[in-house]
Amino acid sequence: MAAVFDKLLGQDHAIRELLAASTDARRSTRGSASIEHSAMTHAWLFTGPPGSGRSIAALCLAAALQCTSPDGPGCGHCAGCTSTLGGNHPDVRRIIPEGLSIATADMRAIVRTAARRPSVGAWHVIIIEDADRLTEGAANALLKMVEEPPSHTVFMLCAPSPDPHDIAVTLRSRCRHITLTTPSTTAIAHALEARDHLDAETAHWAAAISAGHIGRARRLATDEQARSRRATVLAMPPTLDRPAAAINAADTLLATATEDAKTLTAEIDTRETEELRTALGAGGTGKGAAGALRGSAGALKDLERKQKSRATRAIRDALDRALIDLAGYYRDALLASLGTTASPIHPDKSDDITQIARSTRPETLLNCIDAILHCRDTLATNTKPELAITAMLTTISEHMRRG
Ligand SMILES: [Zn+2]
């Protein structure tokens, strides 16, 4: 059985398609069939809401394609499977944009490598995470390759949705599309219990408040500071009808997101810098070590630039997570004020939310949600986060004061 696909929580439909594709791919690499008119193809698009596991799905397909075991495709324990999942298969490249976009020059370099034959595996796999961050030039460079792919190359693109806003229509039309859905609360809770050995109560609590995002559920269940940051963000809405509340809230929101981003990047930064210093001979005391260090100032500068770009993105991502939490709060309030029984995103905040729902008109709550969604769009551009956040909270505050 294809063990690698077990990682895809609640995605039975996608699993069936990916399993069929990797089975056909295996037949074709053994020369018993062509991949034309089969379940396999050279370009894939994985879409789904954050946390649905689109990049994991791509990685699982990559593992199944590189699987060398007769138990495969996707046995989960052969060298092909484990090295792909562990991120060190020589023929699987994951492109994870660390800045706000993927530049044309980077994509040209990627495309050049993609044309090479695989070194040990059956396929050369290029996974592009956040393909919605491709610049127009980069998308065009990629399109040329996807239109006439080398017989051994597979592209896997991951994006939030198949909308033209997220992925160029021309690229999309060349890809086989896999839609991932948000896993259910129960499925997430079970996974947290089984894989992370959390007790049932914590697992269910975390699953219920993480809107189908398993990574977030795991973090909230295991990281006390992540829980407290969420609490800080969700304590904001009831204060926003007071004068001058928007400015304070903007400061708090930015500080919280910055802290959140730091905890996620600090560890990677330290490790990278240490690895580079060791590679460059720092720490040695001989004359050779000093000479090596002088010549390496440039390499350290490059690394600093890369880390700065990653930090910028990490803060924007953290802000985005906070905005999704806030939007969920007003969405819960709106549903409560309309008297619907849909399941809430923040069940643990229902007292505050009910109170806001009682004192606020549905139109006002809808306006608040609009302001948040607009802010998310603005943050995706190069606008300074401070400006976007302050503008959003001022708008919300004005709406809330009118009631
Ligand atoms: Zn395998």
Side-chain angles (χ1 to χ4, degrees):
M1 206 16 230
V4 292
F5 294 119
D6 287 352
K7 290 183 181 302
L8 301 178
L9 215 55
Q11 313 287 354
D12 296 349
H13 181 74
I15 293 175
R16 271 195 298 279
E17 269 190 75
L18 298 176
L19 193 56
S22 37
T23 307
D24 283 355
R26 175 168 279 214
R27 278 193 204 117
S28 86
T29 51
R30 288 182 179 159
S32 56
S34 133
I35 74 161
E36 250 178 272
H37 311 296
S38 84
M40 178 58 187
T41 186
H42 292 284
W44 294 84
L45 172 63
F46 293 87
T47 65
S52 56
R54 49 197 189 225
S55 59
I56 296 173
L59 201 62
C60 291
L61 176 59
L65 293 177
Q66 305 294 16
C67 179
T68 52
S69 162
D71 303 339
C75 71
H77 49 74
C78 72
C81 284
T82 51
S83 62
T84 301
L85 297 175
N88 42 34
H89 193 293
D91 298 316
V92 178
R93 259 191 91 186
R94 282 174 89 176
I95 316 294
I96 306 171
E98 298 195 314
L100 291 173
S101 59
I102 307 179
T104 313
D106 293 344
M107 187 47 71
R108 288 218 178 98
I110 292 162
V111 161
R112 262 197 306 277
T113 343
R116 290 188 203 142
R117 295 202 65 82
S119 57
V120 296
W123 302 88
H124 196 148
V125 180
I126 318 283
I127 300 174
I128 301 174
E129 296 194 10
D130 300 329
D132 52 310
R133 294 185 196 229
L134 289 167
T135 59
E136 201 186 332
N140 285 334
L142 179 61
L143 180 65
K144 277 192 200 127
M145 186 64 135
V146 171
E147 277 174 338
E148 284 174 60
S151 59
H152 47 265
T153 305
V154 183
F155 286 96
M156 302 179 187
L157 281 62
C158 309
S161 83
D163 298 342
H165 175 74
D166 284 333
I167 190 99
V169 177
T170 42
L171 259 180
R172 191 202 151 177
S173 66
R174 297 282 168 177
C175 295
R176 194 154 297 167
H177 183 192
I178 298 282
T179 312
L180 298 160
T181 50
T182 303
S184 71
T185 303
T186 320
I188 291 180
H190 284 324
L192 290 179
E193 279 181 72
R195 283 187 220 162
D196 301 277
H197 311 294
L198 290 163
D199 63 87
E201 199 187 331
T202 311
H204 276 93
W205 172 81
I209 60 167
S210 54
H213 194 310
I214 182 156
R216 183 154 166 70
R218 183 177 292 128
R219 204 159 160 230
L220 286 169
T222 55
D223 178 352
E224 162 120 41
Q225 290 187 323
R227 279 200 291 279
S228 109
R229 282 193 289 270
R230 170 179 177 271
T232 305
V233 170
L234 295 183
M236 272 174 201
T239 68
L240 286 177
D241 56 352
R242 292 169 212 158
I247 302 295
N248 287 336
D251 287 346
T252 311
L253 194 54
L254 283 161
T256 311
T258 308
E259 207 184 305
D260 191 18
K262 255 194 205 140
T263 57
L264 290 177
T265 55
E267 206 178 307
I268 314 173
D269 286 357
T270 316
R271 184 169 39 81
E272 273 179 353
T273 308
E274 252 154 45
E275 276 170 7
L276 184 62
R277 281 182 177 277
T278 310
L280 295 172
T285 47
K287 270 189 186 161
L293 200 58
R294 263 200 300 281
S296 62
L300 277 169
K301 272 241 159 62
D302 281 349
L303 181 62
E304 269 168 31
R305 243 195 309 273
K306 181 177 149 195
Q307 292 179 340
K308 210 174 156 209
S309 157
R310 176 161 61 213
T312 309
R313 174 170 171 197
I315 292 175
R316 283 174 195 258
D317 286 351
L319 275 175
D320 196 52
R321 284 193 293 275
L323 293 183
I324 291 172
D325 270 351
L326 275 182
Y329 190 103
Y330 289 106
R331 172 256 188 208
D332 283 359
L334 177 63
L335 294 181
S337 83
L338 296 173
T340 67
T341 52
S343 61
I345 291 175
H346 302 298
D348 56 335
K349 302 289 167 196
S350 62
D351 290 350
D352 282 358
I353 288 172
T354 315
Q355 203 153 358
I356 286 197
R358 274 203 202 109
S359 57
T360 319
R361 287 173 301 132
E363 301 86 85
T364 302
L365 295 167
L366 206 51
N367 286 335
C368 294
I369 297 173
D370 274 348
I372 297 168
L373 298 182
H374 176 71
C375 182
R376 290 189 68 203
D377 286 344
T378 314
L379 278 177
T381 67
N382 270 329
T383 310
K384 270 198 179 340
E386 293 84 338
L387 295 179
I389 295 290
T390 309
M392 171 195 83
L393 289 165
T394 308
T395 309
I396 292 181
S397 184
E398 280 166 10
H399 285 307
M400 292 307 288
R401 261 178 287 160
R402 277 183 232 131

